[in-house]
Amino acid sequence: MDRADRVFAYGATAGLLADALLADPRRGHPVALFGRAASAVERRLFHDHRGWGALHTALCAGGATAVAALAARAVRPHPRAAVALTAATTWAVVGGTSLVREARLIGAALEAGDVAGARRLLPRLCGRDPEALDADALARAVVESVAENTSDAVVGALVWGAVAGVPGLAGFRAVNTLDAMVGHKSPRLRRFGWASARLDDAVGYPGARLTAALAVLAGPDPRGALRAWRADAHRHPSPNAGPVEAAFAGALGVRLGGTLAYGGRTEHRPVLGTAGRAVRPGDVERAARLSRRVGALALVAGAGARLAAGAIRGRARRATTGQGGAGA
């Protein structure tokens, strides 16, 4: 197998372990630095036009990917440095530990009956309007956010890392961050953020399907997860959140979706996992544990696929070399 395949496997494993041990830094996070740079570019380029938004997306996402590619190229001759760069980049772009930590804080507040405290914590996890939510509605918002962000913050990055190494890791996180910044459908950003939102849908597609599949394998009710994924995923307005949330709903035996509020506007979404029960505060911990199992399996899948592909390529090269030598 190629050295690059081992570099990704070792580096991604080290990076995910670093996330488990260190989580995200409170200050100076590389993704936050990228966000500030993207905001500066937005201030200079903003026009209420799709073309200008596409330019913003190309400059920011393309720039981050190019810098990562140059860094990967610089360390390629040095295996230890290449592993270290892959590990650092993996740690920087995945956020599974912070996701689970924030979810558990809200879950603990709900279990203690501190609904007001849970409302104060919710904006750190998702953009819902918390004031009108009771304990069960808060728990549902947390479970939905855990499900969706397991794909966005962990699995999707590992998928693109397995495909393209350090540039894939950085490029995925750049696109996902841009979507969070400008891709939502506010009146101001409806046209400018269109390119970021559509690109995020495209790059998130494989990770969302892998997340759903791993939720089927790792969840307490595999049949329920598969059934909900097949029956309900297409009903969600997001092509990527639908499979993930439906699979989590079926795996946990709960109902997700329904009425929710973002930024003063109300949405009525179809129910996912219609055979399940209403979400309760105790389900937050169950969702957090499922997220952790899915993230670990995604690492195994990504590193294993990369190593297997490298082994196949190596055998093919040896066979070709042998045939060439025999013919000579």
Side-chain angles (χ1 to χ4, degrees):
M1 66 186 68
D2 292 340
R3 186 171 67 187
D5 301 317
R6 295 193 298 272
V7 163
F8 172 75
Y10 300 156
T13 301
L16 211 63
L17 287 173
D19 176 66
L21 294 173
L22 304 175
D24 293 330
R26 296 293 186 181
R27 295 181 180 179
H29 195 290
V31 175
L33 297 176
F34 169 80
R36 286 197 286 273
S39 293
V41 175
E42 179 191 344
R43 287 193 294 272
R44 291 183 175 274
L45 292 183
F46 181 81
H47 292 75
D48 189 17
H49 190 277
R50 285 185 176 183
W52 285 97
L55 178 61
H56 173 258
T57 301
L59 288 174
C60 294
T65 305
V67 169
L70 290 173
R73 183 176 180 179
V75 300
R76 190 176 300 157
H78 312 287
R80 291 182 180 177
V83 170
L85 177 64
T86 303
T89 307
T90 301
W91 166 79
V93 304
V94 301
T97 297
S98 294
L99 168 66
V100 167
R101 182 179 60 197
E102 296 297 336
R104 283 174 167 159
L105 286 173
I106 300 172
L110 292 173
E111 293 274 25
D114 184 9
V115 175
R119 287 173 179 156
R120 286 193 298 272
L121 292 170
L122 186 67
R124 290 161 51 174
L125 186 65
C126 67
R128 305 280 179 90
D129 295 332
E131 293 308 315
L133 302 180
D134 61 14
D136 289 349
L138 286 164
R140 175 168 65 85
V142 173
V143 171
E144 290 171 355
S145 295
V146 168
E148 183 174 0
N149 285 296
T150 298
S151 176
D152 289 343
V154 184
V155 180
L158 293 173
V159 166
W160 282 102
V163 171
V166 168
L169 289 164
F172 174 83
R173 175 54 60 220
V175 171
N176 191 251
T177 302
L178 288 174
D179 178 60
M181 294 174 65
V182 301
H184 49 85
K185 296 180 179 178
S186 68
R188 176 179 179 271
L189 297 171
R190 187 177 300 274
R191 282 178 283 272
F192 185 81
W194 177 87
S196 291
R198 297 290 76 75
L199 183 58
D200 184 65
D201 286 344
V203 301
Y205 188 95
R209 274 73 195 166
L210 179 59
T211 303
L214 295 178
V216 172
L217 294 175
D221 185 358
R223 290 184 179 179
L226 185 58
R227 187 184 309 115
W229 180 8
R230 288 175 171 175
D232 299 331
H234 68 281
R235 304 169 64 196
H236 196 286
S238 167
N240 294 332
V244 174
E245 291 187 20
F248 265 67
L252 299 173
V254 299
R255 295 191 303 272
L256 300 179
T259 301
L260 48 86
Y262 285 101
R265 59 188 175 86
T266 300
E267 293 185 19
H268 301 282
R269 293 184 178 176
V271 173
L272 309 177
T274 53
R277 56 169 173 79
V279 179
R280 297 192 289 259
D283 294 317
V284 171
E285 176 60 29
R286 297 174 65 225
R289 290 198 300 266
L290 178 56
S291 176
R292 281 310 220 182
R293 292 195 295 271
V294 167
L297 287 175
L299 173 65
V300 172
R306 185 72 184 257
L307 292 172
I312 292 170
R313 289 195 303 270
R315 285 198 296 269
R317 281 197 298 268
R318 289 192 295 271
T320 302
T321 302
Q323 290 172 359

